[in-house]
């Protein structure tokens, strides 16, 4: 594997793509949203338990590439415990980072900065953001399938 | 007997300037020819030649440049008529590509032939461009769109196809060669069955044109579409061929300049085909590039090209079969230069990214054939598709790249 690839497929990403965390439907969920990337056929369904204006738990099921699977997996960890507004801010920060609009900021993004390498792969940005768009839809309760294009 | 001259691969490769370009420090193994092919010098020069020596709007000016441009354009039409075996150049309509050709046929033939309750029979391996236009005209006319089943090998299920044909079938529209699987469909048999029912037959030849010697009259179809950019010609130009009497009978597609005889606010009369279907200023240099591509292909000999590609494809199938967990999707007995595959535990999109880093260009995704992906239970495949300049060494790079991907993704 060359350096460019190593920058994209960081060990954390590979780990989460092989063993996604919080994988599975959630019976207790009170929010749910579907995401679809027509470009590569990736699909995912995100489940949230939201109480007192904060995300208590998040899980997902779906079928996707390493980037989109790892992104969903890390999302379910990162969103847990966040008030809804902060979760929406995180969506925006994450999107800005992988789209190359803002520098990776460890303070606001923590572990999620492992996705910074995606900036150099324009065709993969949508893979990384699919779960996050879906999170926004689940919080905003738009109820539609989110498409990446 | 004279021995056939050996296929001179080195010479062929030297005809394509892009093949000697280096990208990120290496030459690209371009294995995405089913999406679009690269262009030989002869095509690039032919297009330049139009702009440098005889460009103006066509069919309109009395001046010398317009005359020259018109002659370039019409000579290309005659060349393409010969390339596909049309009876006359008037049956050759220049369109943007297969998509526009199919939309034209669906709209014009559909409005002419379809009534409520009529049926259009497609197959389960159609490109979206041979599905959606029919759905659009079916909505308009009250006709129904059906799709014939595909077998596990990726061949058309001919019993299933025949069972769906009925006296309600007015139009049959089928892909000649599948872009996602490479399957070459038995169009002779399809034409015979369609004719028995009195149905019109439309063939999507986007993938056939660069690999098969075409003779539209012998194929027994009524309409045939192809794209220039997949047969080493420019993008934005393609051919719709139709039988003359049908082109005369069906209504026009777009309205505008060039396609009329007389216009008044009370009544407009249309020009004869092909002008009837070429409203507005067309792509003027494109047809010249396309004709040059036809010359180039015929110069090499399409059977020789096909034989070379078959060799490369078979080599690829054998190299890929050595890769653990790799499954080829589409193993038809009659196949063109496509190998579609999935690898256990590695998503096609990730394969594509790793291969790209190794300088190997493949396509990953649903290949605009979502119903077919559904049929095979995969969201997407990776697809290597070969052209007349590909080499076994490039296949070796593909195989090596896949092994790198396995190292990355399989712990
Ligand atoms: C089988 C088939 N049909 C139709 C098309 C559409 O052709 P185009 O995009 O050139 O209009 C393609 C290629 O994209 C194809 O492979």
């Amino acid at each position: 594997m060359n350096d460019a690839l190593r920058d994209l497929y960081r060990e954390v990403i590979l780990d989460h793509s092989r063993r996604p965390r919080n994988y599975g439907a959630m019976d207790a969920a009170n929010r749910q949203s579907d995401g679809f990337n027509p470009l590569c056929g990736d699909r995912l369904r995100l489940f949230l338990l939201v109480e007192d204006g904060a995300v208590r738990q998040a899980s997902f099921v779906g079928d996707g590439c390493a980037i989109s699977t790892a992104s969903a997996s890390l999302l379910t960890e990162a969103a847990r415990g966040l008030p809804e507004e902060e979760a929406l801010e995180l969506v925006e920060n994450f999107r800005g980072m992988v789209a190359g609009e803002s520098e990776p900021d460890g303070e606001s993004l923590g572990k999620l900065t492992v996705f910074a390498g995606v900036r150099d792969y324009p065709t993969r940005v949508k893979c990384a953001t699919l779960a996050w768009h879906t999170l926004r839809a689940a919080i905003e309760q738009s109820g539609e399938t989110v498409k990446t294009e | 007997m004279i021995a056939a001259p050996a296929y001179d691969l080195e010479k062929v490769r030297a005809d394509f300037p892009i093949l000697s370009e280096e990208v990120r420090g290496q030459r690209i193994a371009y294995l995405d020819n089913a999406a679009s092919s690269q262009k030989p010098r002869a095509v690039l020069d032919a297009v330049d030649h139009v702009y440098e020596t005889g460009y103006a709007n066509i069919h309109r000016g009395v001046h010398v440049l317009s005359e020259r441009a018109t002659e370039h354009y019409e000579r290309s039409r005659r060349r393409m008529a010969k390339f596909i075996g049309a009876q006359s150049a008037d049956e050759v309509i220049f369109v943007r590509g297969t998509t526009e050709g199919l939309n034209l046929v669906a709209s014009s033939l559909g409005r002419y032939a379809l009534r409520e309750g009529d049926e259009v029979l497609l197959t389960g391996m159609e490109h979206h461009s041979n599905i959606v236009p029919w759905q659009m005209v079916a909505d308009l006319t009250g006709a129904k769109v059906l799709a014939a089943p595909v077998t596990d090998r990726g061949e058309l299920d001919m019993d299933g196809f025949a069972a769906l044909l009925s006296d309600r079938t007015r139009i049959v529209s089928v892909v000649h060669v599948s872009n996602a699987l490479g399957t070459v469909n038995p169009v002779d048999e399809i034409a015979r069955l369609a004719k028995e029912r009195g149905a019109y037959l439309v063939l999507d030849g986007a993938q056939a044109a660069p690999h098969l010697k075409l003779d539209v009259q012998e194929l027994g179809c009524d309409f045939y579409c192809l794209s220039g950019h997949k047969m080493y010609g420019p993008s934005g130009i393609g051919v719709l061929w139709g039988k003359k009497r049908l082109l005369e009978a069906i209504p026009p597609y777009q309205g505008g300049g060039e396609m009329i005889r007389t216009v008044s606010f009370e009544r407009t009369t249309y020009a004869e085909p092909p002008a009837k279907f070429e409203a507005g200023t067309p792509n003027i240099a494109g047809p010249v590039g396309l004709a040059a591509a036809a010359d180039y292909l015929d110069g090499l000999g399409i059977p020789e090209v096909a034989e070379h590609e078959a060799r490369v494809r078979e080599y690829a199938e054998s190299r890929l079969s050595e890769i653990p967990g790799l499954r080829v999707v589409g193993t038809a007995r009659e196949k063109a230069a496509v190998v579609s595959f999935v690898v256990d535990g590695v998503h096609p999109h990730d394969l594509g990214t790793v291969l790209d880093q190794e300088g190997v260009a493949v396509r990953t995704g649903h290949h605009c054939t979502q119903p077919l992906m559904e049929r095979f239970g995969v969201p997407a495949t990776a697809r290597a598709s070969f052209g007349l300049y590909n080499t076994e060494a490039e296949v070796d790079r593909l195989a090596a790249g896949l092994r790198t991907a396995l190292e990355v993704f399989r712990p």
Side-chain angles (χ1 to χ4, degrees):
Chain A
M1 181 157 63
N2 65 23
D3 289 347
L5 275 178
R6 227 182 300 273
D7 264 355
L8 176 65
Y9 293 114
R10 303 278 290 276
E11 212 32 67
V12 176
I13 292 179
L14 290 175
D15 175 47
H16 277 258
S17 75
R18 291 184 192 122
R19 296 185 301 115
R21 321 295 197 268
N22 302 307
Y23 191 89
M26 190 201 309
D27 289 340
N30 54 10
R31 305 278 177 89
Q32 179 179 320
S33 190
D34 290 337
F36 177 53
N37 181 348
L39 198 65
C40 49
D42 287 2
R43 285 172 193 284
L44 75 88
R45 176 166 290 176
L46 189 67
F47 302 88
L48 299 182
L49 175 62
V50 177
E51 284 173 345
D52 304 328
V55 178
R56 293 294 159 215
Q57 268 190 63
S59 77
F60 79 105
V61 294
D63 191 11
C65 64
I67 304 290
S68 79
T69 303
S71 178
S73 172
L74 280 151
L75 174 152
T76 58
E77 290 187 341
R80 191 168 175 167
L82 289 185
E84 286 174 288
E85 319 79 77
E86 285 182 33
L88 290 174
E89 262 169 48
L90 187 61
V91 170
E92 198 35 48
N93 288 340
F94 185 86
R95 197 201 56 73
M97 173 184 69
V98 295
E101 292 164 13
S102 52
E103 287 308 305
D105 172 10
E107 202 151 313
S108 64
L109 287 163
K111 215 178 182 184
L112 295 169
T113 54
V114 292
F115 288 99
V118 173
R119 291 185 296 177
D120 299 327
Y121 292 81
T123 59
R124 306 307 301 270
V125 170
K126 287 173 177 174
C127 307
T129 55
L130 178 64
W132 297 85
H133 289 309
T134 311
L135 173 62
R136 182 194 290 135
I139 289 175
E140 291 174 349
Q141 288 281 35
S142 72
E144 285 168 22
T145 296
V146 178
K147 297 214 177 74
T148 52
E149 47 192 56
Chain B
M1 234 173 77
I2 308 166
Y7 192 78
D8 192 345
L9 190 51
E10 278 315 303
K11 184 167 171 303
V12 167
R13 289 181 67 81
D15 291 335
F16 288 77
I18 204 165
L19 297 182
S20 49
E21 280 292 304
E22 291 200 350
V23 183
R24 289 194 227 111
Q26 56 192 343
R27 289 195 180 167
I28 300 290
Y30 187 75
L31 307 181
D32 193 19
N33 293 282
S36 202
S37 54
Q38 302 299 340
K39 319 303 170 198
R41 171 62 64 199
V43 166
L44 305 176
D45 287 349
V47 172
D48 280 352
H49 182 71
V50 175
Y51 290 118
E52 287 169 8
T53 65
Y55 178 80
N57 210 329
I58 55 168
H59 295 143
R60 296 181 193 181
V62 290
H63 55 79
V64 60
L65 288 184
S66 177
E67 256 170 48
R68 276 193 196 169
T70 304
E71 173 51 20
H72 278 310
Y73 187 82
E74 292 302 329
R75 195 188 312 132
S76 305
R77 194 193 303 281
R78 294 192 292 277
R79 178 65 185 93
M80 291 315 292
K82 185 161 161 252
F83 184 73
I84 62 174
Q87 198 158 36
S88 105
D90 294 342
E91 297 179 328
V92 170
I93 296 164
F94 284 127
V95 289
R96 222 155 36 86
T98 303
T99 301
E100 190 176 48
L102 289 168
N103 273 275
L104 191 163
V105 180
S107 169
S108 294
L109 179 66
R111 283 177 287 144
Y112 171 75
L114 295 176
R115 300 288 170 269
E116 186 154 359
D118 286 347
E119 290 175 359
V120 178
L121 179 56
L122 313 177
T123 79
M125 65 175 95
E126 298 311 316
H127 188 278
H128 295 164
S129 63
N130 197 27
I131 301 174
V132 184
W134 298 110
Q135 292 172 326
M136 285 161 57
V137 75
D139 276 349
L140 215 65
T141 56
K144 255 173 69 182
V145 175
L146 308 180
V150 173
T151 68
D152 291 344
R153 296 182 81 137
E155 294 175 343
L156 192 54
D157 174 347
M158 286 307 289
D159 291 337
F161 177 84
L164 285 174
L165 272 174
S166 77
D167 295 334
R168 289 186 300 278
T169 313
R170 301 288 291 141
I171 300 171
V172 174
S173 190
V174 174
V175 68
H176 191 172
V177 175
S178 157
N179 62 307
L181 307 176
T183 307
V184 180
N185 279 315
V187 286
D188 293 352
E189 176 69 359
I190 290 168
R192 193 181 63 74
L193 289 168
K195 207 159 291 173
E196 257 175 34
R197 298 290 183 167
Y200 299 109
L201 177 60
V202 182
L203 293 178
D204 167 356
Q207 297 294 337
H211 308 292
L212 303 178
K213 183 76 200 137
L214 295 177
D215 183 334
V216 288
Q217 297 184 69
E218 204 157 284
L219 285 172
C221 58
D222 297 293
F223 294 93
Y224 199 94
C225 306
L226 61 82
S227 295
H229 69 94
K230 294 188 198 278
M231 51 170 279
Y232 312 100
S235 60
I237 188 69
V239 164
L240 165 67
W241 170 84
K243 280 189 180 148
K244 188 151 189 221
R245 119 191 112 68
L246 282 171
L247 292 174
E248 284 165 356
I250 64 178
Y253 179 51
Q254 295 180 334
E258 218 60 64
M259 54 77 72
I260 46 87
R261 182 172 294 128
T262 60
V263 176
S264 73
F265 283 107
E266 291 69 41
R267 195 174 116 79
T268 289
T269 55
Y270 303 125
E272 295 296 313
K276 177 179 170 184
F277 297 99
E278 292 182 0
T281 301
N283 181 343
I284 293 169
V288 179
L290 179 55
D295 286 343
Y296 185 80
L297 269 167
D298 280 341
L300 292 177
I302 291 182
E304 284 73 15
V305 165
E307 197 180 310
H308 167 74
E309 290 168 345
R311 217 169 20 244
V312 175
R313 173 179 59 83
E314 279 160 23
Y315 181 68
E317 283 170 347
S318 96
R319 288 304 314 270
L320 295 193
S321 72
E322 297 161 3
I323 296 186
L326 184 146
R327 176 166 66 92
V328 172
V329 179
T331 51
R333 282 158 290 194
E334 292 289 326
K335 230 179 128 169
V338 168
V339 185
S340 235
F341 56 93
V342 290
V343 179
D344 277 348
V346 190
H347 192 280
H349 217 166
D350 296 314
L351 286 178
T353 293
V354 174
L355 290 172
D356 176 52
Q357 282 296 319
E358 304 289 320
V360 179
V362 299
R363 172 90 179 263
T364 65
H366 53 57
H367 317 295
C368 297
T369 56
Q370 283 182 9
L372 186 66
M373 296 293 110
E374 195 101 340
R375 159 69 182 80
F376 283 97
V378 293
T381 70
R383 178 188 70 186
S385 55
F386 307 103
L388 47 76
Y389 37 60
N390 288 124
T391 66
E392 295 184 350
E394 289 174 320
V395 171
D396 291 336
R397 288 177 63 191
L398 168 66
L402 289 171
R403 287 188 188 278
T404 301
L406 287 189
E407 280 167 29
V408 176
F409 295 103
R410 288 221 192 114

